[in-house]
Amino acid sequence: MNKQEIEKLLKELIETKHKELNLGKDYTAQFSKIRDFEGNAVGQIGEDFFKHILSKRTKIIDDGIIHTEYDVKTESGIYFEIKTARKGRTNNTFQFNGINPKYNYNYLICIGICEDKALFKMFGKDEIQYVHKERKHFVIQGDFKKQLVMMNPNNENNLKLTCSLKELYSIEQLIDELDAVL
């Protein structure tokens, strides 16, 4: 899939969910309706988007409909966890919620949706580490090191990762990243 096809797919999923929720507002940027959705709807769009792209590359044998520790399992046995966030309105960051470092997946896919573009970052499970000396979980990928923080006080199972616009990659690079791990 090329960039236009990828963006068209994401736009169609956002449009469909927008109509389902009867939000009715009209915006000019291609993904601007994403700002009207609550968190679960944003997450569902990201999962559906990723599953569609992945299904063009390999066979999906489990799509996580029954709650599991991952969202998608491929025929070759690769597990993906997908987290989706929309860009914050004031700070140009994305907050990827509900990350559990103990869950069983091979790759964490973070999809960030702006009103005019989509971005992503993919992490291998081995890049999500508990640093005993600091007593904290981090995502460490080359020079990228970000702490996973609790979403709620005393909830060590559901962590969040905050990434800025410049820390994510353009969505059309997702195909190459997927091909490299499949």
Side-chain angles (χ1 to χ4, degrees):
M1 298 176 77
N2 63 34
K3 179 181 178 186
Q4 289 79 21
E5 292 169 327
I6 290 171
E7 288 179 347
K8 181 181 178 200
L9 168 63
L10 184 56
K11 184 176 181 181
E12 288 172 0
L13 289 167
I14 291 170
E15 293 284 337
T16 299
K17 181 58 72 177
H18 200 263
K19 286 177 186 170
E20 283 176 21
L21 297 175
N22 195 28
L23 296 173
K25 296 178 184 174
D26 186 27
Y27 300 109
T28 57
Q30 66 179 342
F31 307 137
S32 59
K33 291 178 181 174
I34 196 77
R35 69 176 135 170
D36 291 336
F37 301 137
E38 51 82 26
N40 288 335
V42 173
Q44 183 181 15
I45 288 168
E47 286 183 26
D48 290 347
F49 173 69
F50 181 78
K51 290 173 187 177
H52 185 84
I53 289 173
L54 185 62
S55 71
K56 301 290 185 188
R57 317 309 292 169
T58 188
K59 184 176 181 183
I60 295 173
I61 61 170
D62 184 358
D63 64 2
I65 292 174
I66 298 173
H67 184 68
T68 56
E69 294 186 346
Y70 58 87
D71 292 315
V72 182
K73 179 181 179 184
T74 67
E75 184 174 44
S76 61
I78 299 174
Y79 298 86
F80 292 95
E81 177 73 358
I82 299 113
K83 297 297 175 188
T84 310
R86 64 180 159 241
K87 183 178 74 67
R89 292 180 188 206
T90 59
N91 59 6
N92 287 329
T93 62
F94 301 90
Q95 183 175 296
F96 300 101
N97 294 328
I99 298 171
N100 189 328
K102 297 174 185 168
Y103 277 4
N104 180 30
Y105 52 83
N106 302 102
Y107 295 96
L108 171 66
I109 309 293
C110 294
I111 300 171
I113 304 176
C114 302
E115 290 190 26
D116 61 345
K117 63 185 170 188
L119 306 162
F120 85 101
K121 192 155 182 93
M122 183 166 80
F123 303 99
K125 177 67 178 213
D126 61 339
E127 295 171 320
I128 301 170
Q129 304 169 11
Y130 181 77
V131 178
H132 182 72
K133 186 176 181 180
E134 299 180 56
R135 300 198 187 288
K136 298 173 183 172
H137 283 92
F138 289 89
V139 177
I140 303 170
Q141 186 181 69
D143 292 338
F144 180 91
K145 181 179 179 182
K146 286 279 187 137
Q147 181 183 348
L148 295 172
V149 298
M150 286 186 277
M151 289 176 54
N152 302 306
N154 301 318
N155 183 347
E156 296 180 19
N157 293 322
N158 289 303
L159 304 176
K160 63 183 175 183
L161 172 66
T162 302
C163 293
S164 69
L165 278 168
K166 64 183 179 183
E167 293 169 329
L168 303 179
Y169 303 113
S170 180
I171 199 69
E172 67 260 17
Q173 295 177 32
L174 178 60
I175 302 296
D176 293 336
E177 293 276 333
L178 283 176
D179 288 346
V181 300
L182 296 174

